[in-house]
Amino acid sequence: MFRRLIESLEVLGPLTSGEREAVESLGAVSRPFAPGAELVAEGDAPAHCRLLLEGQAFRHRTLADGRRQIMSFHTPGDMIDLEGLFLPMDHGLTALTAGEVLHLPHARLLDLMDSHPRVGRRFWTMTLKDAAIFREWILNIGRRTAYVRIAHLFCEVVVRLQRAGLVDNGRCAFPITQQHLSDATGLSAVHTNRTLQALRGEGLLSLRGGELVVLDWPGLQAAGEFDSSYLHLRESAA
Amino acid sequence: MFRRLIESLEVLGPLTSGEREAVESLGAVSRPFAPGAELVAEGDAPAHCRLLLEGQAFRHRTLADGRRQIMSFHTPGDMIDLEGLFLPMDHGLTALTAGEVLHLPHARLLDLMDSHPRVGRRFWTMTLKDAAIFREWILNIGRRTAYVRIAHLFCEVVVRLQRAGLVDNGRCAFPITQQHLSDATGLSAVHTNRTLQALRGEGLLSLRGGELVVLDWPGLQAAGEFDSSYLHLRESAA
DNA sequence: CGAACAGTTGATCAGGATCAACTCGAGTGG
DNA sequence: CCACTCGAGTTGATCCTGATCAACTGTTCG
């Protein structure tokens, strides 16, 4: 049950057996969810953090008039509301697929991190990596064209799904609608549709029936001006 | 010297005298900087964190062809490269004004946080608030028009400068060029110029000679669709 | 006095938004 | 089993926000 979490924590280097045991003895409850389920609502002040065990989810905020902005996508192994440990949620999290989350009580988490500072740092680092991704999105939306922007987003998603072991020969489940894509890139649905056709036309990818297939990975990276270093995939530190 | 830092840490509630002393005994060196100075370069892996004691700075990344995106502005009391504690810097920090930073060695910081977990959480929370601001910028750039976007940015800056005690009767030092403004909002310099004229024309603000004057605060907030809750100005937690 | 840079203006262009209609497939209910 | 609905995707036509290009002003500073 804690495999995903331990793996995420150990990206920065192995934990001691004591640390691993401490993590595994967090009183945790696993909960299934359905596609479209609201995992965390805007304004919530949750009493536990959620670890995404299986499935995909996204972070978003909606304006009064209905315009929506997606701020990140999440894959298994991600803590999706760690910030809720200290701040009320200023955005929501919604399930993209069916899946499962593990609920980790705040009190237990805080105790764990107090007694195992190194583990605390790993959790902190997770939120720092999320922040790095937010910054990349600011750049992506602020300074790149629709074509590059969408390609870049797909690159990121594929790399992160790959890291979670969910890409098989360029194919992965990624059941977003074009509306989701628009809301993530700050574009209109119509223009997203046309830009997607261009990407398909270049033979870079296919997206049908909830399945994303990368047909030309170098080409897609080039189209997205993608450099994965902001994902900090294998940093050593602390 | 540590007044700013203690204040920032105590936004979430007072520290104990022991915690305060521990913070104040961090071996810290203060360094002045000039306007335009590069405080942290992209790619750096610094050995200490910087606390902005005085002056303003901004976080940014530059693409190969020269397009630049500013990701945040910073005011006194901000830790500007806390993420450097665990990750190499994937962006740079540049001074907007003259000022002063305090260098806090990583090793000492980590020791402090290990022995005083509550203080560690406060630092962590600082980075979480930064992340909340990044998310707001994603929304701002992705889903708002130029006019609203720029007004929103000014609202944020004013609120943060106010919190740092740097706003006097709606007036504050904010020496950005229109190019900076464009790079922060993802707009062209020309369009930024025209949009600024519109904001001035509505009698909302004035920006001249490095001084920002808010002439109509309710009007500016309305123009920027601004709701400060994402800044988490007075959260109680942990 | 003359760079050099920030700001301003006008003219034109284009990327992407908007509006509207239509297709298609998957349910769903009669 | 078929008609209906509904959501997602697609297409065309038009509009407009904001980009681009270029020239010019004003100020500061060496």
Side-chain angles (χ1 to χ4, degrees):
Chain A
M1 197 158 76
F2 286 95
R3 196 191 98 238
R4 288 280 188 200
L5 179 55
I6 299 283
E7 273 173 16
S8 294
L9 290 169
E10 289 193 326
V11 170
L12 299 176
L15 297 176
T16 66
S17 59
E19 287 166 341
R20 251 195 313 271
E21 275 167 35
V23 170
E24 282 163 1
S25 67
L26 281 166
V29 190
S30 136
R31 296 220 181 284
F33 58 79
E38 186 174 46
L39 302 178
V40 187
E42 202 177 317
D44 274 8
H48 42 254
C49 290
R50 288 161 185 84
L51 168 67
L52 192 54
L53 285 178
E54 209 160 320
Q56 295 174 42
F58 60 94
R59 193 181 297 271
H60 58 92
R61 237 187 83 191
T62 304
L63 293 174
D65 63 0
R67 278 171 301 169
R68 181 174 69 167
Q69 179 68 45
I70 293 179
M71 284 121 174
S72 61
F73 289 103
H74 290 282
T75 57
D78 289 353
M79 299 286 304
I80 57 177
D81 59 352
L82 252 183
E83 56 274 11
L85 201 49
F86 301 115
L87 301 172
M89 297 297 291
D90 52 30
H91 57 275
L93 279 140
T94 300
L96 199 55
T97 67
E100 209 174 337
V101 282
L102 195 64
H103 285 198
L104 308 170
H106 281 184
R108 304 288 297 271
L109 262 175
L110 291 170
D111 286 348
L112 166 68
M113 297 188 297
D114 285 358
S115 52
H116 298 83
R118 272 169 35 100
V119 177
R121 294 180 199 169
R122 303 288 175 99
F123 278 110
W124 184 357
T125 304
M126 287 183 184
T127 65
L128 293 176
K129 290 184 179 183
D130 280 344
I133 295 174
F134 294 144
R135 286 191 298 268
E136 184 73 18
W137 281 43
I138 291 177
L139 174 64
N140 200 33
I141 297 176
R143 286 293 179 217
R144 297 203 252 242
T145 64
Y147 184 82
V148 182
R149 220 184 280 186
I150 292 184
H152 190 278
L153 175 60
F154 282 124
C155 288
E156 178 184 309
V157 165
V158 167
V159 167
R160 296 179 68 193
L161 284 173
Q162 181 125 51
R163 190 209 46 179
L166 297 173
V167 180
D168 175 31
N169 198 20
R171 315 175 86 81
C172 49
F174 188 49
I176 49 165
T177 63
Q178 295 184 0
Q179 186 60 56
H180 286 124
L181 246 188
S182 323
D183 289 342
T185 51
L187 299 164
S188 72
V190 171
H191 197 61
T192 297
N193 179 290
R194 294 187 168 124
T195 308
L196 257 184
Q197 291 180 44
L199 286 167
R200 279 196 285 251
E202 298 287 330
L204 300 178
L205 57 82
S206 117
L207 180 69
R208 267 200 337 266
E211 190 188 46
L212 171 64
V213 187
V214 177
L215 300 170
D216 175 1
W217 177 235
L220 187 60
Q221 281 179 293
E225 298 171 7
F226 183 74
D227 171 354
S228 70
S229 51
Y230 74 96
L231 292 173
H232 299 281
L233 291 175
R234 33 170 197 294
E235 261 21 283
S236 57
Chain B
M1 197 158 77
F2 286 95
R3 196 191 97 239
R4 289 280 189 200
L5 178 55
I6 300 282
E7 273 174 15
S8 293
L9 290 170
E10 288 193 327
V11 170
L12 299 176
L15 298 176
T16 66
S17 59
E19 288 166 341
R20 251 195 314 271
E21 275 167 35
V23 170
E24 283 163 0
S25 66
L26 281 167
V29 189
S30 137
R31 297 223 180 283
F33 58 80
E38 186 174 47
L39 303 177
V40 187
E42 204 176 316
D44 274 7
H48 43 254
C49 290
R50 287 161 185 84
L51 168 67
L52 192 54
L53 286 177
E54 209 160 321
Q56 296 174 42
F58 61 94
R59 192 182 298 272
H60 58 92
R61 238 188 82 193
T62 304
L63 293 174
D65 63 0
R67 278 173 301 169
R68 181 175 68 167
Q69 179 68 45
I70 293 179
M71 284 122 176
S72 60
F73 289 103
H74 289 281
T75 58
D78 289 352
M79 299 285 305
I80 56 176
D81 60 351
L82 252 183
E83 56 273 12
L85 201 47
F86 301 114
L87 300 173
M89 297 297 290
D90 52 30
H91 58 274
L93 280 139
T94 300
L96 198 57
T97 67
E100 209 174 336
V101 282
L102 195 64
H103 284 198
L104 308 170
H106 281 183
R108 304 289 296 271
L109 262 175
L110 291 170
D111 286 347
L112 166 68
M113 298 188 297
D114 284 358
S115 52
H116 298 82
R118 274 169 34 100
V119 176
R121 295 181 199 170
R122 304 289 175 98
F123 278 112
W124 184 357
T125 305
M126 286 183 183
T127 65
L128 293 176
K129 290 184 179 185
D130 280 344
I133 296 174
F134 294 145
R135 286 191 297 268
E136 184 74 17
W137 281 43
I138 292 176
L139 173 64
N140 200 33
I141 297 175
R143 286 294 179 215
R144 297 202 253 243
T145 64
Y147 184 82
V148 180
R149 218 184 283 185
I150 292 184
H152 189 279
L153 175 60
F154 281 124
C155 287
E156 178 184 310
V157 165
V158 167
V159 166
R160 296 179 68 192
L161 284 173
Q162 180 125 48
R163 190 210 44 179
L166 297 173
V167 180
D168 175 31
N169 198 21
R171 315 176 85 83
C172 49
F174 189 50
I176 50 166
T177 63
Q178 296 183 357
Q179 186 59 56
H180 285 125
L181 245 189
S182 323
D183 290 341
T185 51
L187 298 165
S188 72
V190 172
H191 198 61
T192 297
N193 178 291
R194 294 187 167 121
T195 308
L196 256 184
Q197 290 179 44
L199 287 165
R200 278 196 284 250
E202 299 287 328
L204 299 179
L205 57 81
S206 117
L207 180 68
R208 266 200 337 264
E211 190 187 47
L212 170 64
V213 186
V214 177
L215 300 171
D216 175 2
W217 178 235
L220 187 61
Q221 279 179 296
E225 299 171 7
F226 183 74
D227 170 356
S228 71
S229 51
Y230 74 95
L231 293 172
H232 299 281
L233 291 174
R234 37 172 194 293
E235 261 20 281
S236 58

